[in-house]
Amino acid sequence: MSKNTPHDSAKKHVTGEAIFIDDMVEPNGTLHAYLGLSEIAHGEIEKLDLSKVKAADGVVCILSAKDIIGENDISPMHLHDEPVFTEKLVEFYGQVIFAVVAKTRQAAKKAALLAKIKYKKLPVKVDIATALEEGAEQVAKPLHLKRGDVVTALKNSKNQLDGSMQIGGQEHFYLEGQIAFAIPSEDDEITIHSSTQHPSEVQQMVANVLDVPINAINVKVRRVGGAFGGKETQSNLFAIVAALAAKKTGRAVKLRPDREDDMKITGKRHDFLLDYEVGFDNEGRIKAMEANFAARCGFSADLSGPITDRTLFHADNCYYYPAASLTSQPLKTNTVSNTAFRGFGGPQGMLASERIIEEIAYSLGKDPLEIRKINFYGIDEKNTTPYHQVIKDNIIARLVDELEASSSYQNRRKQIINFNKSNKYTRKGIALTPVKFGISFTATWYNQAGALVHVYRDGSIMINHGGIEMGQGLHTKIAQIVASGFGVDLSEVKITATSTDKVPNTSATAASSGADLNGMAALDAVSKIKQRLIAFIIEKFNCKAEQIIFANGKVKIGKEKLNFAQLIEMAYLARVQLSDTGFYKTPNIHWDREKGKGNPFFYFSYGAAVSEVSIDMLTGQSKVSQVDILHDVGNSLNEALDIGQIEGGFVQGMGWLTSEEVAWNEEGKLSTFSPSTYKIPLASDVPEIFNVKLANWSKNPANTIKRSKAVGEPPLMLAISILEAISMAVASVADYKICPQLNTPATPENILMTIERLKNEIQN
Amino acid sequence: MKIRKKISFLLNDKILELDNFSPSLTLLDFLRLEKNLNGTKEGCNEGDCGACTVLVGRLVDGKLIYESVNACIRFIGSLDGTHIVSIEHLKSATGELHPIQLAIVKYHASQCGFCTPGIILSLYGLLMSKPKANKDDIEKALQGNLCRCTGYASIIRAVEAIVNDGGLENDLLINEKKTITKKLQKMQIVGRVEISNKAGEFIIPKDVDDLALLLEKKPNATLLAGSTDIGLWVNKDFKNISPVIYIASLDGLKEVKQGKNNLIIGAANNYSQSQKIIKKHFPQLADFLFNIGGNQIRNMGTFGGNIANGSPIADLAPPLFALGASLNLRKGKSTRKILLEDFYIAYGKQDLQQGEFIQNIEIPYLKDNEKYAIYKISKRKYEDISTVCASFKLTINNDKITKATLAYGGMAAKPSRAKKAEQQLLGQPFEEQIIEKAALALPNDFVPIDDVRATAQYRLLIAQNLLRKFYLEQAGLEQAGLGQKS
């Protein structure tokens, strides 16, 4: 397989010919829906007067809770805690109360603002602190991971430290906003084009709200303009409203919220309040780790349960805790329901482990890297996680050693310490942080996938699978797998839109699993067709299986050579079945949440990054001068695409930890709801020197597709090195004797105020 | 007077004439909804993400230049006499990709592809004006284009490869330049443009005198120049802006005079053009302009617009306060001159009468005995709104500070001078402890607010630290911090 094949849509991206949902040709009479939102964060609707909305120019109809035919519920866990339209109780600022359908989008947008709603306001819980004070109501069942006797281990440790940390949230800011386009047909049938990571869930939810069988609904997705977890459950609402409107009017209906409304209506990465206590010996070896992860989940559960679970699964990162007690606290707040975001809670857990490493290092006067290394999981011992899975593929020590050498970490660190001695107003920092990320959905049943392969009489091939193309190049990888399976050129393989009527009951394209699951399913389908072709050749040419080779668009049969297309035509005439489905389920995984024990992950992906930053001591501004990454993708399916994921994930992680700040005001209104107030990284924020290498010696010991490893999420967490490097620069103020306990995001304000705090601490 | 009832422009390779359109019809809606040119995307509808970037070619002193702009906040009426280039224009008739498109494919610089057309047009604009663009130029050209997938590194590699290969040779727009120039010249018809339809009126005056006349007749008209703010009134607040008088194409508002003591710059010059004009006399200010918006905004927003808009965080106010700039205002046939700092009366209130407009800005040159600097602090370094913007000018005579202007934006309801802090400096030597006194006096000048961008405490500290930074830099004591990148 070529390691450098471009994205299958690259040529269409650059010409503007790639069709996103809003670019599709609209059927005659297409209508446009828009949503009417609450303007309080908590309260009851006393009077809903939509007469002016109804009377506005171009308005066709209005939809509210009473128009719902089936269940008024879009909880992905089916908990009945998240209505499509709320009828009485408003639980966050921006909650959807009604929809208006009009002849143009502009008319619908304008009309939606004309609602007159009278509320009875109720007390508002916006932040974690308030939620904790006011009874700490939870949206999902908390998880407790426990190994060993942490109380005794803490007591017996030579040193103990405790602290807390605020970890900020993150807005997805996919460039293509949420959108759905519903086209009704005969009987109950509706086809929905949805910008979603999870078409099967959209299908199921729409069926449930419309009270029709799932088979009436077909959801199609050709491509998604960025998702990052923000379209795993969050696209359901838009698809449902478009479908309801299509059902009611009998016309095609499109729904696309404005960027600002998109940001208000959809959930974000969870922010956390972390409390920790760690016990360690004089060399810095961790003996016990206790931590509580309180998360702002918003008004409903959404995926907060599994997300906060994953936080705990990654609170060890690469480090062995002889005794650990980790607890999640998924708190209910009057804010939008937070949701999946690249890493799915894992990044926040990892920050906890890196924070305690820092605490130990600064208290012992050592380089944090030294503390990291002596706490790495072992190979044959010290290899059990707090959830009792034994790690069998640990390569972190080798990875870190190689990166430490190739990046001249030690030398540069010495130079930086010297630089900081002689510079008052600019300080530098450097940090090397590791990543270990568990691959598999922790909801075990999600670890399945299907595919459908057709070979046509001219030898051209069509592949369809359950995964979504959202920029990551999944379709390219799958097409490469199929092409290499049949030994034909990639151009012979056509990828078509993901469609619930082709491959049913799919899982979300999430948890970095897209290529792992769908690649195996596609290979399964290819293998079935190939086996039939081989059987046909053996019979027809009277040869042995070993004599048959599919390569370079030809089929070699002993000394004879056939074009692939010739073979296919022959097989067709001989009535060989040239189409098949494929299926895959990940083996050897299980998880008992009640006991907190199991083997939730099929394998782990590893990586490490060194970041060097400088900070302006007068303004708190930071700048990244160099980043070196060594990342493990096993045997890469496509190096160019994998490097794209690593670079993009890193920069997204950097944004999360530096300039991206999600904020609500006291009334619970999101104050960062547009790109003018919410700042994702720009080209000019990218590290001046940015070296990304793959650990090309790594092969996945687990039997994955071509022994590759997942790459979607893990690189995001490499950006923790940026935070740690900033932290070192700040720590220079107090001669590296005080752990700065920097919260995230490390905005200029946060950095400068932390510097001031440290200055005061030395003086006192 | 000749009155034209239509506008004409080139859209890719076609000449179009429009005589019936809403004054608030945006270029983006025109392209997507009326022309089915769907390669131009809507990402934010407020000029901040660049997904809708197109190139607009226009004649400047008879020469054709192309600038990247945000189609989402550009009104169609403002395109009279220009060449609009959307992504659909780049692929050749025989289906060959443009070199920039090829490079983006080759270097894997598109992932989801939604931002890609806008990014390509921004890069096209860059490479036409700077064939040897370096990394810094590329980054600046992309400051108005958000990409959430790639982390930009691959995009930068793609452009560097084009530059290393010798830039754009035999390129489409470069080859077409002569014929396009001719076509645009034919469209430059002298006279007033008046369009009216049921949604309202869009007027382009014949010249500045005509503008003065029109504004007397229609004192409530919306004066439209770069539309970087008015675009949002329409898209976000559904404001009715009719009647619109479009002024950014008036030569009389773009005149530049290099006088003996001052530079006079017409109000309708955009930031990018102004950068070239002021570079010689005010290099600090020219560099500072890179801190305003993304490149598309710098190609649209005007000097006069930034001032007239009256925002407390208008980025030009502090540096122009400090320079002692004045405005020449015109109403009917009369003109008056007003010191810029007197122009801002209170939050949202400026000394601008009905029917009056800013004709130009007069900026006194810096003298050898004047120390001058500008700083802007924001959450993200570029394409962000100021948390605090500061500009200082000190005049030193016989080792004493004889004149001091400490101007701040983001610290009060309007851009303001720190007069109490200035008092600490007057008559004193330019020394650290004197600057420190002024810094400590700043809380007497300002009681800043907490908002989404920063806390009051941080604002005040930054305001003080910027003064300290100014001293350190001017005294040449230490490379003070990261400084402004220029």
Side-chain angles (χ1 to χ4, degrees):
Chain A
M1 269 168 69
S2 163
K3 302 267 184 189
N4 201 28
T5 302
H7 193 286
D8 77 278
S9 292
K11 284 184 181 164
K12 288 178 276 189
H13 291 156
V14 298
T15 53
E17 289 163 1
I19 296 172
F20 294 87
I21 293 172
D22 203 31
D23 305 333
M24 291 172 59
V25 177
E26 294 172 3
N28 200 10
T30 293
L31 300 173
H32 298 264
Y34 210 79
L35 302 172
L37 311 179
S38 74
E39 290 193 302
I40 60 162
H42 193 201
E44 283 173 5
I45 298 170
E46 287 188 327
K47 202 178 166 214
L48 177 64
D49 175 3
L50 300 177
S51 54
K52 284 199 168 157
V53 182
K54 213 166 197 171
D57 261 2
V59 169
V60 174
C61 70
I62 288 174
L63 298 165
S64 62
K66 60 180 189 295
D67 296 290
I68 288 178
I69 308 151
E71 262 186 299
N72 188 6
D73 180 41
I74 51 168
S75 161
M77 318 288 277
H78 213 70
L79 298 173
H80 296 94
D81 64 351
E82 188 172 354
V84 181
F85 300 116
T86 189
E87 193 155 20
K88 186 143 201 226
L89 184 64
V90 170
E91 295 199 90
F92 77 97
Y93 208 115
Q95 187 164 14
V96 179
I97 296 173
F98 68 94
V100 50
V101 184
K103 285 177 185 155
T104 66
R105 183 168 173 270
Q106 181 81 349
K109 250 169 88 175
K110 278 188 178 173
L113 296 172
L114 300 174
K116 289 228 154 51
I117 306 171
K118 222 180 124 199
Y119 302 98
K120 185 181 135 199
K121 284 194 184 180
L122 293 167
V124 176
K125 285 184 291 188
V126 179
D127 53 25
I128 294 172
T130 319
L132 286 169
E133 275 165 30
E134 315 251 315
E137 189 186 342
Q138 303 187 110
V139 294
K141 227 175 136 191
L143 177 65
H144 188 200
L145 294 183
K146 197 170 172 297
R147 239 194 82 241
D149 177 358
V150 83
V151 178
T152 313
L154 269 173
K155 211 167 35 182
N156 293 343
S157 299
K158 291 220 171 73
N159 310 282
Q160 294 90 14
L161 272 169
D162 58 51
S164 65
M165 179 180 193
Q166 287 169 25
I167 299 169
Q170 187 175 25
E171 157 67 37
H172 302 84
F173 214 93
Y174 27 68
L175 260 287
E176 179 205 31
Q178 301 279 354
I179 183 166
F181 191 13
I183 302 165
S185 183
E186 58 190 45
D187 299 329
D188 285 329
E189 289 169 27
I190 300 178
T191 298
I192 301 162
H193 300 273
S194 166
S195 185
T196 179
Q197 291 170 252
H198 200 348
S200 286
E201 186 171 281
V202 169
Q203 181 195 27
Q204 190 187 337
M205 291 258 177
V206 169
N208 192 45
V209 175
L210 265 56
D211 195 25
V212 296
I214 293 177
N215 66 13
I217 307 297
N218 184 23
V219 178
K220 292 184 92 160
V221 187
R222 174 57 185 91
R223 62 174 60 77
V224 169
F228 319 110
K231 294 172 181 171
E232 184 168 348
T233 60
Q234 302 300 290
S235 32
N236 295 336
L237 170 76
F238 306 95
I240 289 166
V241 174
L244 269 173
K247 179 115 184 163
K248 184 158 177 170
T249 61
R251 312 257 285 268
V253 178
K254 200 194 275 185
L255 170 53
R256 173 172 70 86
D258 239 21
R259 175 63 60 179
E260 292 188 357
D261 289 330
D262 186 316
M263 290 175 83
K264 287 174 194 163
I265 298 168
T266 62
K268 298 152 207 330
R269 188 190 291 286
H270 293 65
D271 49 331
F272 277 77
L273 177 63
L274 159 71
D275 285 292
Y276 53 87
E277 193 173 356
V278 59
F280 54 99
D281 68 14
N282 290 341
E283 278 75 52
R285 263 180 221 97
I286 297 163
K287 295 292 172 191
M289 162 72 159
E290 187 172 10
N292 185 67
F293 295 83
R296 166 156 41 191
C297 296
F299 81 102
S300 72
D302 186 70
L303 302 174
S304 292
I307 288 167
T308 48
D309 285 2
R310 190 170 272 266
T311 302
L312 301 197
F313 287 127
H314 288 82
D316 58 342
N317 194 8
C318 297
Y319 312 117
Y320 175 63
Y321 300 152
S325 171
L326 309 166
T327 314
S328 70
Q329 224 177 346
L331 295 170
K332 175 164 180 163
T333 49
N334 296 118
T335 50
V336 67
S337 191
N338 280 333
T339 192
F341 196 139
R342 206 175 197 169
F344 206 73
Q348 297 94 319
M350 252 180 233
L351 276 180
S353 70
E354 296 306 332
R355 164 56 73 78
I356 61 160
I357 293 286
E358 270 196 294
E359 288 274 21
I360 297 168
Y362 288 114
S363 86
L364 295 176
K366 293 186 175 184
D367 175 359
L369 180 58
E370 193 186 323
I371 306 301
R372 289 189 171 102
K373 284 177 157 182
I374 62 167
N375 283 294
F376 280 159
Y377 277 112
I379 305 292
D380 301 316
E381 44 158 23
K382 295 183 177 177
N383 56 2
T384 309
T385 64
Y387 44 95
H388 301 265
Q389 174 163 359
V390 175
I391 301 169
K392 292 176 181 155
D393 57 8
N394 183 1
I395 54 166
I396 196 62
R398 177 174 174 189
L399 208 75
V400 166
D401 284 347
E402 284 189 19
L403 181 65
E404 184 183 351
S406 68
S407 67
S408 312
Y409 170 86
Q410 292 298 348
N411 238 337
R412 284 163 63 200
R413 185 175 148 90
K414 266 183 219 140
Q415 283 170 9
I416 284 170
I417 288 171
N418 277 332
F419 176 93
N420 288 346
K421 277 182 193 148
S422 50
N423 282 272
K424 198 170 163 191
Y425 300 102
T426 304
R427 291 287 167 82
K428 293 185 178 179
I430 188 168
L432 191 164
T433 60
V435 166
K436 167 184 124 284
F437 196 76
I439 303 299
S440 294
F441 287 98
T442 52
T444 302
W445 64 90
Y446 267 4
N447 298 288
Q448 59 172 312
L452 176 65
V453 174
H454 300 326
V455 182
Y456 294 96
R457 284 174 69 179
D458 60 355
S460 67
I461 299 160
M462 194 215 75
I463 162 73
N464 199 278
H465 60 93
I468 295 297
E469 175 56 51
M470 47 192 163
Q472 81 280 44
L474 174 63
H475 281 357
T476 313
K477 284 184 174 176
I478 304 286
Q480 284 183 276
I481 291 164
V482 172
S484 102
F486 284 119
V488 298
D489 192 78
L490 190 61
S491 61
E492 298 295 326
V493 181
K494 182 153 187 79
I495 308 154
T496 53
T498 310
S499 188
T500 53
D501 64 357
K502 285 193 178 145
V503 177
N505 310 324
T506 57
S507 297
T509 302
S512 308
S513 69
D516 278 13
L517 298 178
N518 296 291
M520 282 302 231
L523 189 64
D524 181 44
V526 169
S527 304
K528 286 182 190 167
I529 298 169
K530 234 174 117 179
Q531 273 161 24
R532 284 196 290 269
L533 288 171
I534 289 169
F536 165 69
I537 295 168
I538 290 172
E539 196 187 313
K540 172 117 186 158
F541 292 86
N542 197 18
C543 63
K544 285 184 183 142
E546 305 85 68
Q547 293 174 294
I548 306 166
I549 300 166
F550 289 74
N552 304 320
K554 305 248 186 317
V555 186
K556 243 175 97 181
I557 306 157
K559 281 177 190 159
E560 268 190 85
K561 245 186 196 175
L562 279 177
N563 282 331
F564 182 72
Q566 281 176 299
L567 169 73
I568 294 300
E569 178 66 10
M570 285 163 67
Y572 167 75
L573 294 172
R575 296 186 295 171
V576 175
Q577 184 191 340
L578 295 171
S579 165
D580 220 325
T581 58
F583 185 76
Y584 175 72
K585 58 178 178 182
T586 312
N588 308 328
I589 48 172
H590 53 89
W591 169 239
D592 185 337
R593 194 175 185 274
E594 293 305 313
K595 292 197 180 114
K597 282 186 185 177
N599 223 42
F601 302 120
F602 189 34
Y603 64 88
F604 295 91
S605 284
Y606 298 87
V610 179
S611 290
E612 181 178 331
V613 304
S614 46
I615 60 173
D616 184 323
M617 302 297 278
L618 289 170
T619 64
Q621 288 166 304
S622 66
K623 191 172 167 52
V624 184
S625 47
Q626 183 170 343
V627 171
D628 295 85
I629 289 171
L630 183 60
H631 196 77
D632 159 38
V633 294
N635 176 36
S636 174
L637 291 172
N638 183 323
E639 290 181 356
L641 295 177
D642 286 347
I643 285 173
Q645 286 300 295
I646 296 167
E647 288 175 344
F650 183 87
V651 170
Q652 202 171 69
M654 183 179 92
W656 171 50
L657 295 169
T658 57
S659 61
E660 296 183 34
E661 190 163 34
V662 182
W664 283 268
N665 73 9
E666 284 166 14
E667 277 107 53
K669 185 181 180 185
L670 182 70
S671 29
T672 48
F673 55 80
S674 76
S676 63
T677 44
Y678 186 78
K679 297 304 188 185
I680 72 169
L682 294 178
S684 36
D685 297 313
V686 172
E688 277 170 55
I689 302 169
F690 196 7
N691 300 316
V692 177
K693 284 208 175 74
L694 301 176
N696 53 17
W697 41 264
S698 170
K699 299 256 178 300
N700 197 345
N703 186 15
T704 53
I705 182 82
K706 313 248 174 204
R707 299 281 172 176
S708 65
K709 285 192 180 185
V711 70
E713 293 161 293
L716 182 123
M717 285 150 273
L718 296 169
I720 295 173
S721 56
I722 300 256
L723 181 73
E724 304 289 304
I726 292 174
S727 178
M728 175 188 169
V730 172
S732 70
V733 174
D735 199 25
Y736 315 101
K737 291 197 171 83
I738 304 172
C739 177
Q741 297 190 332
L742 195 58
N743 292 325
T744 76
T747 57
E749 170 162 5
N750 186 5
I751 292 171
L752 189 66
M753 292 329 229
T754 306
I755 291 170
E756 293 296 307
R757 173 163 54 76
L758 257 61
K759 280 185 188 165
N760 285 334
E761 276 183 45
I762 326 170
Q763 275 171 9
N764 301 330
Chain B
M1 191 186 355
K2 230 175 159 178
I3 292 180
R4 206 164 21 116
K5 292 281 184 188
K6 65 180 184 198
I7 60 164
S8 45
F9 53 82
L10 261 168
L11 171 58
N12 297 331
D13 54 1
K14 287 191 181 67
I15 294 176
L16 295 183
E17 293 188 334
L18 298 183
D19 57 4
N20 182 10
F21 57 85
S22 157
S24 53
L25 173 64
T26 63
L27 174 56
L28 179 64
D29 281 350
F30 176 74
L31 291 174
R32 290 184 61 86
L33 302 179
E34 299 195 10
K35 294 288 151 195
N36 288 318
L37 292 171
N38 287 333
T40 311
K41 309 297 179 193
E42 180 185 317
C44 70
N45 210 21
E46 59 178 88
D48 239 322
C49 81
C52 65
T53 303
V54 298
L55 290 177
V56 172
R58 62 184 178 110
L59 298 175
V60 177
D61 302 327
K63 268 178 70 181
L64 176 61
I65 62 157
Y66 285 92
E67 293 166 317
S68 59
V69 307
N70 291 312
C72 70
I73 50 168
R74 185 83 191 244
F75 298 109
I76 196 75
S78 74
L79 278 315
D80 184 43
T82 67
H83 182 202
I84 303 159
V85 181
S86 72
I87 191 71
E88 288 82 2
H89 194 50
L90 269 65
K91 195 165 114 175
S92 78
T94 49
E96 286 151 78
L97 297 188
H98 184 273
I100 300 175
Q101 293 175 318
L102 283 172
I104 295 288
V105 173
K106 186 174 170 193
Y107 288 86
H108 309 277
S110 74
Q111 285 184 23
C112 85
F114 198 82
C115 72
T116 310
I119 284 192
I120 288 174
L121 287 167
S122 279
L123 294 173
Y124 200 179
L126 167 74
L127 290 175
M128 273 194 282
S129 63
K130 278 197 178 164
K132 290 185 178 155
N134 62 26
K135 197 174 169 201
D136 187 46
D137 296 324
I138 300 165
E139 287 175 2
K140 280 179 175 143
L142 291 178
Q143 276 163 1
N145 289 86
L146 301 180
C147 169
R148 193 53 152 167
C149 295
T150 63
Y152 307 98
S154 50
I155 300 169
I156 295 168
R157 285 195 289 271
V159 188
E160 285 176 334
I162 299 171
V163 173
N164 290 337
D165 281 354
L168 301 178
E169 267 182 45
N170 270 326
D171 176 75
L172 173 80
L173 290 178
I174 297 171
N175 290 344
E176 283 181 349
K177 214 158 196 169
K178 266 190 189 160
T179 52
I180 300 286
T181 304
K182 270 187 201 151
K183 283 180 186 169
L184 293 188
Q185 274 165 348
K186 273 191 198 159
M187 292 177 189
Q188 316 298 314
I189 303 161
V190 183
R192 185 194 288 173
V193 176
E194 280 182 10
I195 308 286
S196 67
N197 88 347
K198 63 179 194 310
E201 272 184 290
F202 191 96
I203 304 165
I204 308 174
K206 174 173 169 273
D207 52 25
V208 176
D209 289 338
D210 190 31
L211 166 64
L213 194 79
L214 274 164
L215 214 46
E216 276 194 313
K217 273 199 235 159
K218 299 175 188 284
N220 294 321
T222 307
L223 279 190
L224 177 76
S227 65
T228 57
D229 202 23
I230 294 172
L232 273 67
W233 302 355
V234 169
N235 290 354
K236 302 291 163 183
D237 303 332
F238 301 111
K239 205 170 156 181
N240 181 1
I241 55 170
S242 174
V244 173
I245 302 180
Y246 179 64
I247 56 171
S249 56
L250 299 182
D251 288 338
L253 287 181
K254 286 193 268 193
E255 284 170 6
V256 177
K257 282 183 211 142
Q258 305 200 27
K260 207 173 147 214
N261 300 313
N262 54 29
L263 178 77
I264 300 174
I265 176 164
N269 282 294
N270 69 29
Y271 300 117
S272 300
Q273 290 297 307
S274 304
Q275 236 164 358
K276 292 170 196 155
I277 297 163
I278 61 176
K279 202 166 180 154
K280 188 175 148 205
H281 297 288
F282 307 100
Q284 304 94 329
L285 185 56
D287 283 345
F288 170 75
L289 293 183
F290 282 116
N291 287 289
I292 297 180
N295 205 40
Q296 297 89 327
I297 295 296
R298 297 194 284 266
N299 289 335
M300 295 167 73
T302 62
F303 256 51
N306 191 270
I307 293 163
N309 157 303
S311 162
I313 40 172
D315 279 327
L316 280 180
L320 291 179
F321 269 37
L323 287 168
S326 308
L327 305 177
N328 286 308
L329 305 175
R330 174 153 176 195
K331 183 177 190 303
K333 286 190 172 134
S334 61
T335 58
R336 65 178 174 120
K337 185 169 161 178
I338 178 173
L339 204 58
L340 177 61
E341 60 174 278
D342 296 334
F343 179 70
Y344 293 91
I345 298 167
Y347 180 80
K349 196 175 171 207
Q350 290 79 249
D351 184 356
L352 191 69
Q353 293 163 23
Q354 273 214 326
E356 198 172 36
F357 61 93
I358 303 172
Q359 188 153 0
N360 58 43
I361 299 123
E362 247 181 76
I363 318 172
Y365 298 136
L366 282 164
K367 298 186 187 76
D368 289 343
N369 64 341
E370 288 175 332
K371 296 178 185 298
Y372 175 67
I374 319 163
Y375 305 95
K376 172 171 168 172
I377 305 301
S378 45
K379 203 177 281 178
R380 185 175 65 198
K381 212 159 169 202
Y382 295 97
E383 209 211 11
D384 198 354
I385 293 165
S386 290
T387 302
V388 173
C389 180
S391 183
F392 311 126
K393 193 180 81 175
L394 301 182
T395 311
I396 316 266
N397 279 308
N398 300 323
D399 297 331
K400 294 270 157 57
I401 300 167
T402 53
K403 215 180 149 214
T405 313
L406 309 178
Y408 286 93
M411 295 293 288
K414 58 170 188 156
S416 307
R417 281 173 64 176
K419 293 205 170 158
K420 289 183 181 125
E422 288 171 6
Q423 284 303 317
Q424 299 294 324
L425 301 172
L426 292 177
Q428 302 294 326
F430 185 60
E431 285 172 3
E432 191 166 10
Q433 67 269 34
I434 301 298
I435 296 292
E436 193 55 32
K437 271 190 185 170
L440 295 176
L442 276 172
N444 303 326
D445 281 301
F446 297 119
V447 185
I449 54 158
D450 283 332
D451 68 7
V452 58
R453 280 179 247 289
T455 60
Q457 192 194 5
Y458 174 67
R459 283 205 161 92
L460 202 54
L461 181 59
I462 285 289
Q464 294 176 316
N465 279 356
L466 289 177
L467 198 52
R468 292 171 181 134
K469 192 181 188 71
F470 175 64
Y471 172 77
L472 292 164
E473 283 178 359
Q474 296 292 326
L477 286 177
E478 185 164 2
Q479 180 64 39
L482 306 178
Q484 302 286 333
K485 199 172 163 188
S486 59

